[in-house]
Amino acid sequence: MTQLDGSAIPGQAAPVGPPPPAQPPAPPAQPPMGGADYAAYAPTAVGGFPAQTPPPGAPIGPYDPVPGGGYATPDASQGYGYDYQQQAGYTYPGVPVPAAPKQRNPVMLWGGIIGGVLAIAIVIGLVVLLQPSPKPNPNPGPVADSGGTSTSTSAGGTRGTTGSTTPDSSNATYKIAWNTDKDPNADSSSQLLGVWGSTSGSDSFAVRADTTGIRAYNLADGKQAWNVPVPSGSKELCTASRSRNAKNIIAVSFNTGDYDCSTIGAVDIAQGKLLWSVKATPDKLSNPALSVTDKVVAVGSLGALNIDNGQSVWQFKGRGKDCSVYGAAAGSVIAASDRCYDTGLQKSVLQVVNAETGNPVSQAIPLNGQIERIDAVISTQPLVVLMSGGTNGDYILPFDDSYKPGNPMSTKEAGSDSLRLSGQSDPVSNNVVVGKTLYVQIDGGKSGINAYDLGTGKRLWAVSAPSSSDDMRLVPGTTKEGKVRAIVGQGYDKPAKLVALSPNDGSMSDIGTMSMPNGLDIGMSMVQYFIPDDNSQVIAYRRNSGYAPPLTKWSK
């Protein structure tokens, strides 16, 4: 593969991605602007590449665009921002304490003690008698069994105790089938990295990866089927691929110390087995974006590894002597932007390459922002990417089926915060792309869902929860008819509603109701819901398993 001018193609350097767990983000570099013509990317032979200046980065979050200039801006405004509410605590009536006698007469002393005890008993009795009887919970959520034993499995993991079998007595359409047991090794730092295996009727397991390892649970009863722990020599998992290939293989990266996540591994989630792990590059990688095909593990800012053994297939090579590359792998492609400081070169370009070969599938797109670069891949079919640091702020860039870029769409709505978008490397989704429509979760004073035309960047419609105290959560995937779905809260101790949204105007059609256990948050970004296209079941994966069961299943 060669550049557009016939010369050789771009390379890899230490990427700048989202900060690893508990590591403070590095401040973005401020390279000079300017430059001339661009030349495309090309993969090189297997081998390392020289240390290079990391590309500048910008944290994900609301950014206001620089006034002037032109991305298509969604019309209408709606306030965003998180609104955390703390539940007030309880207070209890005090108990009077009898005064001590002035003299130490034994009769008086014992009489005072006995009188005090009687007074305490009378007060407690009155409190109990006057206390109103609590109302029964109409939708009791099952509680996972505590304790229990575990035995080794052939997959090398452990089998946990059965999830809660407390009957769900609610009249909801979807009743809680089980909760998995809370992981005894999990704590508040065990963060969700990826989920697989609950979107198809042929799946037997629901698989959850967090920083402490990968665990599979039987969909029939919630029992743990196997566990792949963090291997010796690594501290924790860093990232995981969203996709799995036809052989049920996923990719993960490991932190081997100092937040170096350049060790990559492949895991067979049908058997619960780590197939291999390799140090993919001598350079340090921070939270690499991963993807898998039937042939390779794609590593966003590096290149690709053979899916069978982890050997390097190809790597990026810089356009000049002083270049760095930042890439986001998703599906069968890598969207990569670089930054070069060589005289006479275009400072930064964006290009989409085939993950298996490294060959470009799109034309090179010059980037003129001072710190402009690829931030995330929002969707793979069609390809939609999130760009940060543009001359007019952050923006969304869609591509057609031939990877020709469309019109950029600003993430900023007039009078509102920027849209909070998730990428393919994020375990919890805030957005869904269906055809030319982008659906985005809106959180704030009143949660809801907005729909945007990717061709024009204009808002098509917006729907919201019934009240500011209720949540509305966008669900990944669609029904068989291609409609997106949402879970809508209806108040405390009431079943939530599962609805389908019309692509034309956002009108809701009921699918069913779901009994909601106390403490399960519908909104925000604390839970990822998965529902097959036939709406037969619902699986909730909690982002943090340190305080609650990691999975809950509902069935009709």
Side-chain angles (χ1 to χ4, degrees):
M1 183 181 64
T2 61
Q3 304 181 47
L4 298 181
D5 61 2
S7 57
I9 301 189
Q12 164 67 15
V16 174
Q23 182 187 25
Q30 298 291 334
M33 289 184 61
D37 298 333
Y38 156 75
Y41 291 104
T44 64
V46 173
F49 45 89
Q52 301 165 348
T53 304
I60 296 175
Y63 303 102
D64 291 343
V66 178
Y71 303 145
T73 305
D75 27 340
S77 61
Q78 179 171 343
Y80 306 119
Y82 296 107
D83 181 14
Y84 296 100
Q85 297 181 354
Q86 183 175 2
Q87 185 174 359
Y90 296 96
T91 59
Y92 298 91
V95 177
V97 178
K102 294 181 179 180
Q103 298 182 2
R104 293 186 176 273
N105 184 300
V107 176
M108 295 295 293
L109 178 61
W110 285 104
I113 293 174
I114 295 172
V117 172
L118 289 174
I120 292 173
I122 292 171
V123 171
I124 293 175
L126 289 173
V127 169
V128 173
L129 289 174
L130 297 176
Q131 181 74 21
S133 300
K135 295 180 179 180
N137 184 350
N139 304 308
V143 179
D145 298 334
S146 60
T149 59
S150 60
T151 57
S152 297
T153 66
S154 59
T158 59
R159 181 174 295 279
T161 56
T162 307
S164 172
T165 56
T166 303
D168 185 343
S169 59
S170 71
N171 58 0
T173 310
Y174 292 85
K175 298 181 184 296
I176 295 177
W178 47 255
N179 281 323
T180 56
D181 290 328
K182 179 181 174 182
D183 182 6
N185 299 318
D187 55 33
S188 59
S189 64
S190 302
Q191 296 298 313
L192 184 68
L193 297 177
V195 295
W196 308 269
S198 54
T199 57
S200 169
S202 62
D203 288 324
S204 300
F205 304 131
V207 184
R208 181 186 190 277
D210 63 24
T211 49
T212 65
I214 308 170
R215 298 169 183 84
Y217 302 89
N218 284 300
L219 284 172
D221 55 17
K223 290 181 179 180
Q224 187 177 128
W226 51 257
N227 172 34
V228 177
V230 176
S232 176
S234 297
K235 298 180 64 177
E236 62 184 0
L237 268 68
C238 297
T239 58
S241 63
R242 170 171 290 195
S243 58
R244 53 175 169 167
N245 68 11
K247 297 180 180 180
N248 285 310
I249 296 175
I250 63 168
V252 294
S253 65
F254 300 102
N255 173 13
T256 54
D258 296 327
Y259 304 106
D260 181 4
C261 302
S262 58
T263 296
I264 310 299
V267 178
D268 183 340
I269 60 172
Q271 302 182 53
K273 182 179 180 181
L274 176 64
L275 301 176
W276 51 259
S277 64
V278 299
K279 174 75 171 172
T281 171
D283 297 318
K284 185 175 180 180
L285 293 180
S286 175
N287 285 356
L290 305 174
S291 183
V292 293
T293 72
D294 289 342
K295 295 181 179 179
V296 302
V297 172
V299 185
S301 299
L302 178 65
L305 309 175
N306 188 296
I307 193 73
D308 296 323
N309 51 33
Q311 293 181 356
S312 180
V313 176
W314 64 270
Q315 290 185 354
F316 284 110
K317 180 177 174 58
R319 291 182 291 124
K321 295 180 179 180
D322 189 12
C323 298
S324 58
V325 176
Y326 182 84
S332 61
V333 300
I334 300 178
S337 61
D338 69 354
R339 173 68 63 173
C340 293
Y341 301 101
D342 302 73
T343 303
L345 287 181
Q346 167 71 31
K347 293 299 180 184
S348 186
V349 297
L350 169 70
Q351 191 162 41
V352 182
V353 302
N354 182 300
E356 294 184 348
T357 65
N359 295 324
V361 295
S362 77
Q363 295 295 318
I365 303 170
L367 304 177
N368 298 315
Q370 190 173 5
I371 56 172
E372 189 173 1
R373 68 171 177 87
I374 178 75
D375 197 322
V377 174
I378 296 174
S379 168
T380 57
Q381 295 180 339
L383 178 65
V384 182
V385 302
L386 174 64
M387 302 294 294
S388 66
T391 54
N392 294 291
D394 298 354
Y395 62 96
I396 299 162
L397 186 62
F399 290 78
D400 64 16
D401 293 340
S402 62
Y403 295 103
K404 180 180 179 181
N407 297 321
M409 166 187 159
S410 175
T411 62
K412 173 70 175 177
E413 290 194 86
S416 303
D417 291 337
S418 297
L419 298 175
R420 291 174 170 86
L421 300 164
S422 60
Q424 293 284 297
S425 296
D426 296 315
V428 177
S429 299
N430 288 334
N431 34 260
V432 176
V433 174
V434 181
K436 296 182 178 180
T437 304
L438 168 66
Y439 301 89
V440 183
Q441 172 81 37
I442 304 299
D443 293 311
K446 200 172 185 181
S447 62
I449 295 170
N450 291 357
Y452 299 91
D453 186 329
L454 286 171
T456 64
K458 301 298 182 182
R459 184 197 288 189
L460 298 174
W461 48 258
V463 295
S464 59
S467 70
S468 59
S469 61
D470 295 326
D471 288 320
M472 186 172 187
R473 182 70 189 157
L474 179 65
V475 176
T478 66
T479 65
K480 290 182 177 180
E481 296 74 30
K483 295 181 178 180
V484 296
R485 293 157 296 183
I487 298 173
V488 184
Q490 299 188 95
Y492 181 76
D493 265 0
K494 293 182 180 180
K497 291 175 65 176
L498 176 61
V499 300
L501 303 178
S502 167
N504 298 323
D505 56 11
S507 57
M508 303 182 199
S509 56
D510 292 347
I511 297 175
T513 54
M514 297 168 51
S515 58
M516 299 302 292
N518 294 336
L520 184 60
D521 187 6
I522 296 177
M524 310 303 283
S525 299
M526 300 307 296
V527 179
Q528 176 76 305
Y529 292 92
F530 275 105
I531 306 174
D533 59 9
D534 62 358
N535 302 318
S536 58
Q537 65 184 18
V538 180
I539 303 288
Y541 296 81
R542 289 170 178 82
R543 179 187 284 273
N544 185 302
S545 61
Y547 63 90
L551 276 76
T552 297
K553 176 186 175 180
W554 291 260
S555 296
K556 283 187 175 181

